[in-house]
Amino acid sequence: MRDDGLLKTEITKLKEEVGAERENIETIDGLVKKQIEREPGLWEYDFDGLGAEMWKRFQTLEKNSDCLSEEQYLPAQRFRAAFLRRLNKFYRVLTTPVSRAILDKKKQFNLDQQDLLNKENIPFFLAMILTLQKIKDRLNVLEEAVNKLGDELEDE
Amino acid sequence: METSQALRQNNTDPTQGVDSITRRIFEALVDPPPQDIKSVFQKYLQPVIRDWGIQSAWNILSRLEVAWDFRKPTLGLYDNALHFIGGAQKYGCTLAAALQDMYDVTLIANSDVSSEQLEEWYNLDLSRCRIKVISLPFFEKREAHHGIYDAGLVDPNMDNPFHAISRESGNYDVFVNNCMLEMVYPLAPVSEFMVHFPEREISRFFHVGEYTHIMFNSRYTAQWIEKRWQQTPDVHIFPPVDMTSPNLPEVKENIILSVSRFELSGNKQQREMIKAFIRLKQLHPDLARGWKLLLVGGSVAHNPYLDRIRRLVKSYPAHEIQIEVNVPASDLEKFYQRAKIFWHFSGLKQSDPAKMEHFGMTTVEAMQNGCVPVVFNGGGQTEIVEDGGSGVLFGSQESLLENTVRLMQDSQEMHRLSLGAYRRGKDFTKEVFDQKVREHFSAILKSYKFQ
């Protein structure tokens, strides 16, 4: 036979313990042992928030775009460069096994740079699109208000 | 060992995992030697606390108490606008009244309101329900909130101010979120999210997917829940409408009635109704002679839209176009009983789905009194009115006028549709609502108790 009295006492005691522990946990994340809320998405910002995000992204883009820009050469430098390129090529063939390891690192560096730019580029354009969308919404509201005013005048 | 395995297996869905662990404890303690009780709890609860948090352990103990009949199950129903009169609040209070014998019901509000007030507003018995007020500091601090706990004021960069309610939800066996406040994270073992219409967009505080069930008031609403929130609602209960006349009123007057709030935005389109009625009079002066347009509705004290409406009709005598504002329910009932036709324009020439009628309570009230509804063919209205059987659906002003004229001319058709409307109106009564609510919540309780 199940001893209801004993079970009830045991559950009451446990609930008191668990309840006290529960009270001491301040966040919902702590209560359920997981992160329940993500970072805010761009689409949740208002006009000012979107503007701030765009400038933030733009600053990073401007700063990072320089490291990918090409160097400009003078004609004399170009002649020397052709010779140096050939020499370089010959040297590269000789040192391929060694340089491969180094070039892999360089390649990875370039990919990382590209990735960084993409990470900034995409939100930048998304923020711009969302801003345009919000401008469109505002225009729709204004248009509706103008129509209403027109109706009102017609009623008068 | 066995418990840890079970936890790992169910780690992707803690709800199912907690459910299975609770069942194991329940079965393990059916006939235990007394010294084993403690060890059984320890064996199962420790890994639960470690992997899923203390709330899951609390929920397991709560469920076992109910499963072994140590206490009555509890239900918390939250509504951030409980202190205001409204259709959604009527829905929640009627639901609470229907369940107060099955559950210990607590109505959770954000501002002071008494059960006497709620009983008077909605003509309900809430004597076995408690009210708990939880204030939200974020809104209290804002001077301009006017008692409205508007989720739209929440900045995405701040902490979720509704977590005071999330935490409270964990104190009940069943939690019902009646105000579509998607920012409340449900902690109760069983949770219900009631949607009257999914007006808000998904934000970082969107927790609707965490609820056990999503309830909805009409298929129109359900369709938009799927479109806008990518969630699948599963419990459909039409709102309760209680204006049924004991018999179909036999003597009716030549009145076209409209019952809608005079909204500041003019969404209910009373202005368009007046224009349509004037046009009807111009096109069919003989037929429309003796017919009156009666516009009834609630309004706030200073309403520029209502002022416009009044100015528009000032050149027409009251026996042709009459406006009645904030009338008591008894008068409203009389208007329904006297009117032959009921007009409802919400949704006409609208592209915003929120501006459609999500259900259409006044249409049902009219039908329950034998008024023939001539309503816009969109939103929740199409689920109430069977076109040609219990009323008429129109898609344009031309079709509205055409159908209204047809009804004015053909008294037999008017009587047939009036009878159809009266019959159909009975599908939406409080009794039907109570029965559906009890069916759903007793099924929840049965499963909660492992029966």
Side-chain angles (χ1 to χ4, degrees):
Chain A
M1 271 292 285
R2 195 181 72 199
D3 187 343
D4 278 358
L6 200 66
L7 266 178
K8 206 171 176 177
T9 316
E10 202 55 48
I11 285 202
T12 311
K13 254 197 273 174
L14 272 169
K15 268 197 114 173
E16 274 171 19
E17 283 170 30
V18 170
E21 208 176 315
R22 198 173 65 134
E23 286 304 309
N24 288 331
I25 295 172
E26 282 180 5
T27 61
I28 305 294
D29 287 11
L31 287 174
V32 297
K33 284 256 172 107
K34 67 174 180 184
Q35 192 189 339
I36 59 164
E37 280 157 5
R38 54 168 172 74
E39 291 299 306
L42 273 180
W43 55 92
E44 292 167 48
Y45 287 111
D46 58 9
F47 254 128
D48 296 339
L50 276 174
E53 276 300 306
M54 271 171 64
W55 283 115
K56 206 168 85 186
R57 309 281 171 186
F58 185 71
Q59 262 185 336
T60 325
L61 275 173
E62 201 179 37
K63 198 174 132 200
N64 283 296
S65 63
D66 279 352
C67 80
L68 295 180
S69 60
E70 274 187 27
E71 222 175 302
Q72 296 296 313
Y73 295 104
L74 295 169
Q77 284 174 322
R78 229 176 267 151
F79 177 75
R80 248 184 306 158
F83 171 72
L84 285 172
R85 261 203 307 275
R86 273 189 211 107
L87 190 69
N88 192 15
K89 204 175 173 186
F90 176 68
Y91 175 74
R92 260 206 321 244
V93 172
L94 284 180
T95 58
T96 299
V98 184
S99 62
R100 187 163 287 160
I102 302 165
L103 283 174
D104 276 351
K105 268 189 186 170
K106 178 73 181 163
K107 192 178 157 194
Q108 191 53 47
F109 171 79
N110 285 343
L111 284 174
D112 289 347
Q113 283 299 319
Q114 190 56 50
D115 194 35
L116 186 74
L117 283 177
N118 285 345
K119 271 186 191 151
E120 298 301 327
N121 254 324
I122 294 165
F124 177 76
F125 284 109
L126 179 61
M128 233 165 37
I129 292 165
L130 288 168
T131 308
L132 289 173
Q133 180 65 44
K134 281 186 195 285
I135 292 171
K136 192 181 145 200
D137 291 347
R138 280 197 181 180
L139 283 173
N140 283 345
V141 171
L142 281 174
E143 199 178 8
E144 209 173 297
V146 169
N147 285 342
K148 256 186 200 165
L149 279 172
D151 289 346
E152 223 166 300
L153 281 173
E154 193 190 311
D155 292 350
E156 299 295 330
Chain B
M1 186 69 184
E2 184 204 359
T3 318
S4 295
Q5 270 175 359
L7 281 179
R8 272 201 299 279
Q9 277 165 11
N10 292 301
N11 218 13
T12 47
D13 188 352
T15 320
Q16 278 182 19
V18 168
D19 191 74
S20 108
I21 300 287
T22 317
R23 187 178 282 275
R24 282 171 196 219
I25 302 177
F26 181 76
E27 282 161 5
L29 291 176
V30 168
D31 189 16
Q35 65 270 25
D36 273 352
I37 296 176
K38 227 179 202 158
S39 61
V40 168
F41 277 122
Q42 267 186 346
K43 177 184 164 195
Y44 286 102
L45 290 187
Q46 287 308 326
V48 167
I49 294 170
R50 187 191 64 222
D51 291 357
W52 294 328
I54 197 79
Q55 183 63 43
S56 294
W58 175 270
N59 288 353
I60 288 175
L61 295 170
S62 299
R63 187 170 176 184
L64 289 170
E65 281 181 321
V66 175
W68 283 320
D69 286 325
F70 294 163
R71 64 169 173 81
K72 199 173 167 183
T74 53
L75 182 145
L77 184 140
Y78 171 59
D79 199 311
N80 65 342
L82 198 65
H83 53 295
F84 289 122
I85 302 180
Q89 290 64 43
K90 184 185 175 189
Y91 191 106
C93 288
T94 314
L95 187 140
L99 296 176
Q100 60 187 337
D101 291 323
M102 200 185 292
Y103 292 85
D104 264 337
V105 177
T106 303
L107 298 167
I108 307 160
N110 291 134
S111 233
D112 285 336
V113 64
S114 68
S115 50
E116 290 76 25
Q117 275 175 303
L118 297 173
E119 285 178 339
E120 195 190 320
W121 290 344
Y122 308 122
N123 190 26
L124 291 168
D125 168 25
L126 294 166
S127 56
R128 275 98 68 215
C129 295
R130 270 189 299 272
I131 293 184
K132 184 168 183 178
V133 178
I134 297 176
S135 62
L136 302 175
F138 167 74
F139 293 99
E140 301 301 328
K141 274 187 225 152
R142 298 174 78 97
E143 284 176 13
H145 73 78
H146 302 300
I148 300 167
Y149 294 79
D150 181 5
L153 298 172
V154 178
D155 188 286
N157 285 309
M158 63 183 283
D159 287 337
N160 184 343
F162 289 99
H163 276 336
I165 307 299
S166 307
R167 186 172 270 274
E168 174 66 14
S169 74
N171 294 331
Y172 304 92
D173 296 299
V174 179
F175 174 70
V176 182
N177 184 335
N178 185 58
C179 51
M180 305 181 283
L181 232 156
E182 79 287 357
M183 297 187 177
V184 177
Y185 186 94
L187 291 175
V190 182
S191 50
E192 305 282 311
F193 191 86
M194 176 61 217
V195 189
H196 302 278
F197 191 77
E199 280 165 5
R200 293 174 40 73
E201 300 290 339
I202 293 177
S203 74
R204 63 184 287 237
F205 302 133
F206 183 81
H207 299 304
V208 178
E210 300 295 329
Y211 284 76
T212 319
H213 297 287
I214 299 176
M215 299 168 67
F216 57 101
N217 58 348
S218 66
R219 281 184 288 277
Y220 177 71
T221 297
Q223 192 189 326
W224 278 97
I225 295 171
E226 292 193 9
K227 260 192 206 169
R228 199 166 265 184
W229 286 351
Q230 292 86 49
Q231 300 288 328
T232 311
D234 55 346
V235 184
H236 180 196
I237 304 180
F238 280 125
V241 186
D242 250 350
M243 197 59 90
T244 311
S245 164
N247 299 301
L248 179 65
E250 279 176 19
V251 184
K252 290 222 169 226
E253 297 169 35
N254 289 344
I255 294 174
I256 297 174
L257 175 69
S258 152
V259 181
S260 286
R261 266 190 320 277
F262 291 95
E263 288 186 356
L264 295 170
S265 60
N267 274 347
K268 302 289 182 183
Q269 306 200 33
Q270 283 94 344
R271 178 184 169 274
E272 284 69 20
M273 283 187 205
I274 293 166
K275 296 236 160 188
F277 185 71
I278 293 169
R279 201 159 153 233
L280 180 78
K281 287 238 164 199
Q282 286 165 348
L283 291 173
H284 306 275
D286 294 335
L287 184 69
R289 190 168 297 121
W291 277 84
K292 172 160 96 174
L293 176 67
L294 175 54
L295 301 173
V296 183
S299 169
V300 290
H302 302 289
N303 187 337
Y305 181 72
L306 181 60
D307 295 341
R308 269 178 68 192
I309 296 289
R310 288 196 199 279
R311 278 201 300 275
L312 186 63
V313 302
K314 71 180 174 207
S315 53
Y316 293 89
H319 67 265
E320 283 192 6
I321 302 176
Q322 187 184 342
I323 294 173
E324 294 288 339
V325 182
N326 294 332
V327 298
S330 53
D331 285 2
L332 181 61
E333 206 169 340
K334 280 178 200 149
F335 290 142
Y336 280 130
Q337 286 175 357
R338 284 166 55 201
K340 280 186 181 169
I341 295 174
F342 178 82
W343 271 3
H344 202 73
F345 280 28
S346 272
L348 181 65
K349 291 183 185 167
Q350 290 289 349
S351 53
D352 181 355
K355 287 179 181 166
M356 298 270 179
E357 200 60 70
H358 313 146
F359 172 65
M361 288 174 93
T362 56
T363 303
V364 178
E365 286 176 350
M367 290 165 83
Q368 289 178 340
N369 287 278
C371 297
V372 178
V374 180
V375 298
F376 178 65
N377 187 7
Q381 304 271 11
T382 56
E383 296 162 49
I384 301 168
V385 177
E386 302 137 315
D387 195 17
S390 54
V392 179
L393 297 169
F394 68 87
S396 63
Q397 276 222 10
E398 285 63 41
S399 148
L400 160 89
L401 293 180
E402 195 182 296
N403 281 298
T404 306
V405 166
R406 186 169 56 85
L407 285 171
M408 285 170 158
Q409 283 168 334
D410 189 344
S411 60
Q412 274 190 337
E413 176 70 348
M414 179 89 88
H415 183 72
R416 185 184 72 79
L417 288 175
S418 168
L419 199 65
Y422 182 68
R423 281 191 190 133
R424 175 69 177 148
K426 286 183 177 170
D427 293 341
F428 305 93
T429 58
K430 182 176 172 293
E431 287 71 36
V432 175
F433 175 84
D434 285 355
Q435 193 194 334
K436 289 210 162 179
V437 164
R438 287 197 190 107
E439 266 171 27
H440 174 59
F441 282 86
S442 64
I444 285 175
L445 194 54
K446 214 172 155 189
S447 146
Y448 193 62
K449 293 172 89 172
F450 302 112
Q451 287 171 351

PDB file of all heavy atoms in Angstrom, chain B residues 62 105 293 327:
ATOM      1  N   SER B  62       5.334  19.485  -8.053  1.00  0.00           N
ATOM      2  CA  SER B  62       3.965  20.034  -8.133  1.00  0.00           C
ATOM      3  C   SER B  62       3.038  19.047  -8.822  1.00  0.00           C
ATOM      4  O   SER B  62       1.911  18.814  -8.387  1.00  0.00           O
ATOM      5  CB  SER B  62       3.963  21.344  -8.922  1.00  0.00           C
ATOM      6  OG  SER B  62       4.766  22.280  -8.285  1.00  0.00           O
ATOM      7  N   VAL B 105      -8.260  28.907  -9.144  1.00  0.00           N
ATOM      8  CA  VAL B 105      -7.922  29.891 -10.175  1.00  0.00           C
ATOM      9  C   VAL B 105      -7.449  31.214  -9.563  1.00  0.00           C
ATOM     10  O   VAL B 105      -8.081  31.745  -8.651  1.00  0.00           O
ATOM     11  CB  VAL B 105      -9.136  30.147 -11.104  1.00  0.00           C
ATOM     12  CG1 VAL B 105      -8.813  31.219 -12.141  1.00  0.00           C
ATOM     13  CG2 VAL B 105      -9.552  28.857 -11.808  1.00  0.00           C
ATOM     14  N   LEU B 293     -31.072  54.317 -40.329  1.00  0.00           N
ATOM     15  CA  LEU B 293     -29.745  53.786 -40.002  1.00  0.00           C
ATOM     16  C   LEU B 293     -29.450  54.144 -38.553  1.00  0.00           C
ATOM     17  O   LEU B 293     -29.476  55.324 -38.186  1.00  0.00           O
ATOM     18  CB  LEU B 293     -28.677  54.389 -40.916  1.00  0.00           C
ATOM     19  CG  LEU B 293     -27.234  53.979 -40.611  1.00  0.00           C
ATOM     20  CD1 LEU B 293     -26.995  52.501 -40.884  1.00  0.00           C
ATOM     21  CD2 LEU B 293     -26.244  54.802 -41.436  1.00  0.00           C
ATOM     22  N   VAL B 327     -24.257  53.253 -24.809  1.00  0.00           N
ATOM     23  CA  VAL B 327     -25.570  52.857 -24.273  1.00  0.00           C
ATOM     24  C   VAL B 327     -25.420  51.655 -23.327  1.00  0.00           C
ATOM     25  O   VAL B 327     -24.519  50.825 -23.511  1.00  0.00           O
ATOM     26  CB  VAL B 327     -26.585  52.507 -25.398  1.00  0.00           C
ATOM     27  CG1 VAL B 327     -26.856  53.695 -26.273  1.00  0.00           C
ATOM     28  CG2 VAL B 327     -26.095  51.329 -26.218  1.00  0.00           C
TER      29      VAL B 327
END
